[in-house]
Amino acid sequence: MKKTKTFFTWSILTVANLFDAREYKIPNELIILGYAAGLFLNIQNFQMIGVVLFIIKAILPVLILYLLYTLKGLGSGDIKLFSVMSTLVGFEYTTEVMITSVMLAGVAVLGLILYEKGINLKRRLHYSFYMTAAFFLLQMIND
């Protein structure tokens, strides 16, 4: 993966984590900035067809994760963050991050259940942490 794509993705994920930790919300301004970077990279790499690829890459994660959103399993900011990631690093890599982040979050929840000796249904997780951890882990494995 090109260093520019990785840099933009790391930057967006890091700032998203800071906002998510503090406010349980990822600001739309950050999402727009990420989309702008994704659009720029797609146009740079694929000329004008990059605009079409950008739109497809942005929509696919939203369509796939919409059911989780309706079931309150994932927040809208997390879905938008996956969408931005897809425009930056591609849908295939984003899918790998999705799968890995679900596994990491599952392990964390299992650890919390064992530690707290039961399920705390009121606990909310900062899913962006698991997205970032998955992205980092996959970067380590793939490089």
Side-chain angles (χ1 to χ4, degrees):
M1 188 178 324
K2 288 186 176 180
K3 290 183 181 193
T4 306
K5 294 178 180 182
T6 304
F7 172 76
F8 281 129
T9 307
W10 270 115
S11 301
I12 297 293
L13 286 172
T14 302
V15 175
N17 281 323
L18 296 173
F19 279 101
D20 197 15
R22 185 173 179 172
E23 302 171 15
Y24 280 99
K25 186 175 178 171
I26 298 168
N28 286 332
E29 293 84 1
L30 180 63
I31 300 301
I32 292 168
L33 182 64
Y35 279 142
L39 181 60
F40 171 77
L41 288 174
N42 279 283
I43 291 173
Q44 182 183 30
N45 292 330
F46 305 107
Q47 288 72 43
M48 288 313 293
I49 195 72
V51 175
V52 174
L53 293 173
F54 166 81
I55 293 168
I56 292 169
K57 290 176 186 178
I59 290 174
L60 280 175
V62 175
L63 293 175
I64 290 171
L65 297 171
Y66 181 73
L67 181 61
L68 279 175
Y69 172 72
T70 59
L71 297 172
K72 305 283 187 221
L74 207 55
S76 61
D78 300 320
I79 293 173
K80 291 184 279 187
L81 202 52
F82 273 126
S83 177
V84 167
M85 183 187 300
S86 180
T87 66
L88 292 168
V89 296
F91 181 71
E92 297 82 15
Y93 195 79
T94 301
T95 303
E96 290 179 36
V97 173
M98 285 178 191
I99 293 167
T100 306
S101 66
V102 167
M103 290 190 285
L104 291 174
V107 169
V109 168
L110 182 60
L112 282 170
I113 289 171
L114 293 173
Y115 178 75
E116 294 178 350
K117 297 178 178 54
I119 298 174
N120 180 357
L121 295 176
K122 294 189 184 210
R123 177 182 292 277
R124 294 172 56 188
L125 296 177
H126 300 280
Y127 195 75
S128 65
F129 294 0
Y130 303 102
M131 291 170 61
T132 305
F135 188 81
F136 175 76
L137 182 64
L138 290 170
Q139 285 290 301
M140 297 298 289
I141 292 170
N142 291 331
D143 284 345

